[in-house]
């Protein structure tokens, strides 16, 4: 009986192998045919710069092909023009260690990743659009995220102090200033046992992200991961004392708001004086030197608010709680900041900047501080 069984399975295996090899031959013939058809069809749209990444024969690439067909669709879906997109692919491959897989070329991997960041679409939707399995989308997302994290040294900016001959009306008052610094909340999804620590004063579940930017709105340093209930000043204390610390060269400083202490390297406005941009915009004139200082301070420090504004306009994933665990989300936040810098470096005009003036970061309450500042050397 047992022998018979073995012989039978052996025969079955033989049959299957025979059937498979016929199928394989047919499959090869058919795919060669498809390949031929597709390359004929894509000749018209052949562009040399895309050649390196093309698996144009692959029918599943239909959606990527459509996105990468012109600047408009590329900007609206991936937030950068074609030139920028291919440059990013190149950087991720050569510096970030991103590798193509047998079926998914680098450009498609990057497109999947950017599409998720920009529009915060669910894995299911991406599966449908790109015609890939959920597992494959998820693997791709993490691969590209890792590769982007490798670009930190290339994409974070090294700040330069405002020179003495600066003519920019916002910055010329702040010689040796490096830029501005502030915190922003980004909503996250955490388990209910730790929710309380992530609850902000407004009741959102969020992480408190410290961002530091240059006068031309590029990030110098970003620290993500502190719970929403933690005060800004504590996050800053951590930032300047950790291994990869925010460093402020001697004699240089960043502008900070009154939530931080005025100290070496960080210049805060005078307390107990008017300090809010909207008031100056409404035509209110400063009545003393401290108010005048605060006015200039508020105007210049506003770059960091605009930077955060742009970041959230650009990347939908930062506007609502993500489906990703908090640890991943913190890396996503860093990746968004790096890509923000990248876009501002490679594109002549930031495509999102025109939307910034309509964007309300949901603050704007008067920022009048009522306590009196203890005067110290730095204040002077
Ligand atoms: C895309 O935009 C860039 C920069 O504006 C331009 O140089 C390039 O020719 C455009 N490419 C296409 C395909 O429209
Ligand atoms: C400021 O001075 C530096 C050299 O000291 C010069 O290279 C730069 O062009 C000057 N900038 C302006 C705006 O005059
Ligand atoms: C938040 O995370 C939990 C698991 O920790 C998950 O079950 C839930 O679906 C997530 N919420 C959203 C909106 O993705």
């Amino acid at each position: 009986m047992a022998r018979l069984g073995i012989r039978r399975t052996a025969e079955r295996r033989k049959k299957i192998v025979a059937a498979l090899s016929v199928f394989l031959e047919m499959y090869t013939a058919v795919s060669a045919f498809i390949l031929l058809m597709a390359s004929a069809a894509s000749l018209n749209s052949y562009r040399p710069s895309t050649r390196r990444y093309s698996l144009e024969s692959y029918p599943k690439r239909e959606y990527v092909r459509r996105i990468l067909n012109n600047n408009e669709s590329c900007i609206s879906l991936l937030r950068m023009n074609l030139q920028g997109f291919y440059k990013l692919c190149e950087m991720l491959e050569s510096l970030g260690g991103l590798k193509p897989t047998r079926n998914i070329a680098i450009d498609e991997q990057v497109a999947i990743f950017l599409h998720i960041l920009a529009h915060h679409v669910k894995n299911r939707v991406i599966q449908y659009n790109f015609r890939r399995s959920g597992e494959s989308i998820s693997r791709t997302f993490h691969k590209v995220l890792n590769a982007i994290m490798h670009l930190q040294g290339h994409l974070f900016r090294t700040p330069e102090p405002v020179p003495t001959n600066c003519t920019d009306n916002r910055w010329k008052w702040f010689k040796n200033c490096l830029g501005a610094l502030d915190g922003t909340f980004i909503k996250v999804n955490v388990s209910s046992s730790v929710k309380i620590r992530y609850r902000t004063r407004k009741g959102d579940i969020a992480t408190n992200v410290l961002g530091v930017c240059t006068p031309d709105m590029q990030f110098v340093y970003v620290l993500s991961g502190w719970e929403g209930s933690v005060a800004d000043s504590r996050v800053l204390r951590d930032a300047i004392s950790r291994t990869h610390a925010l460093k402020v060269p001697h004699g240089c400083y960043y502008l900070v708001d009154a939530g931080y202490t005025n100290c070496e390297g960080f210049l805060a406005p005078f307390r107990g004086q008017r300090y809010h941009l909207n008031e100056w915009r409404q035509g209110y004139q400063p009545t003393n030197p401290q108010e005048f200082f605060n006015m200039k301070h508020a105007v210049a420090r506003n770059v960091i608010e605009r930077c955060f504004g742009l970041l959230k306009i650009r990347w939908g994933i930062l506007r609502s709680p993500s489906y990703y665990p908090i640890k991943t989300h913190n890396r996503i936040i860093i990746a968004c900041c790096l890509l923000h810098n990248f876009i501002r470096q490679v594109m002549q005009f930031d495509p999102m900047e025109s939307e910034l003036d309509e964007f309300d970061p949901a603050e704007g309450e008067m920022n009048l501080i009522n306590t009196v500042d203890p005067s110290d050397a730095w204040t002077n």
Side-chain angles (χ1 to χ4, degrees), residues 80-298:
M80 58 189 75
N81 64 11
L82 288 165
Q83 242 175 343
F85 177 78
Y86 287 117
K87 173 141 198 233
L88 180 63
C89 291
E90 236 168 70
M91 284 179 78
L92 287 171
E93 194 176 12
S94 60
L95 304 171
L98 189 62
K99 293 198 171 53
T101 68
R102 219 157 58 82
N103 311 328
I104 315 191
I106 298 269
D107 63 346
E108 181 169 352
Q109 297 183 25
V110 178
I112 288 172
F113 180 78
L114 293 177
H115 197 298
I116 295 174
L117 294 197
H119 297 281
H120 197 207
V121 272
K122 288 194 174 150
N123 189 311
R124 221 169 333 112
V125 178
I126 295 284
Q127 280 176 48
Y128 176 80
N129 284 339
F130 286 85
R131 300 171 62 188
R132 302 286 180 186
S133 71
E135 206 237 324
S136 158
I137 299 283
S138 165
R139 201 170 347 104
T140 300
F141 184 86
H142 285 95
K143 267 177 60 186
V144 181
L145 180 58
N146 278 339
I148 291 202
M149 298 305 275
H150 282 125
L151 302 187
Q152 291 190 47
H154 299 273
L155 291 179
F156 275 132
R157 274 281 298 277
T158 308
E160 281 159 21
V162 172
T164 37
N165 62 355
C166 173
T167 51
D168 184 323
N169 205 27
R170 285 169 309 164
W171 292 94
K172 63 183 180 191
W173 320 93
F174 300 105
K175 310 288 186 236
N176 281 335
C177 180
L178 297 171
L181 169 163
D182 203 3
T184 190
F185 291 120
I186 291 180
K187 289 183 193 162
V188 289
N189 177 23
V190 291
S191 64
S192 41
S193 60
V194 293
K195 260 195 179 137
I196 185 113
R197 285 195 280 142
Y198 284 88
R199 195 180 301 280
T200 68
R201 268 179 303 172
K202 286 184 183 154
D204 294 326
I205 304 302
T207 170
N208 187 346
V209 179
L210 173 81
V212 184
C213 77
T214 56
D216 64 350
M217 290 205 272
Q218 291 193 30
F219 288 103
V220 169
Y221 183 90
V222 178
L223 178 60
S224 174
W226 275 92
E227 298 92 334
S229 63
V230 170
D232 284 348
S233 51
R234 177 152 168 228
V235 180
L236 178 57
R237 271 206 306 281
D238 178 39
I240 57 181
S241 57
R242 57 196 297 131
T243 323
H244 294 288
L246 168 64
K247 293 196 181 71
V248 188
H250 187 72
C252 296
Y253 56 93
Y254 288 102
L255 304 182
V256 298
D257 74 11
Y260 298 91
T261 5
N262 198 31
C263 62
E264 179 85 36
F266 302 96
L267 186 64
F270 285 100
R271 292 178 180 232
Q273 304 286 340
R274 278 171 197 276
Y275 184 77
H276 201 270
L277 213 49
N278 285 343
E279 287 191 42
W280 315 117
R281 286 214 183 106
Q282 283 156 18
Y284 179 86
Q285 291 299 313
T287 55
N288 62 39
Q290 284 84 359
E291 274 192 11
F292 187 64
F293 172 88
N294 277 7
M295 180 174 93
K296 294 299 180 193
H297 188 284

Side-chain angles (χ1 to χ4, degrees), residues 47 69-71 81-83:
R47 284 185 308 276
N69 184 47
N70 59 58
N71 274 332
N81 64 11
L82 288 165
Q83 242 175 343

Side-chain angles (χ1 to χ4, degrees), residues 45 47 64-74 82:
S45 55
R47 284 185 308 276
V64 192
R65 266 203 298 275
R66 249 188 305 151
I67 297 177
L68 300 180
N69 184 47
N70 59 58
N71 274 332
E72 287 68 34
S73 58
C74 196
L82 288 165

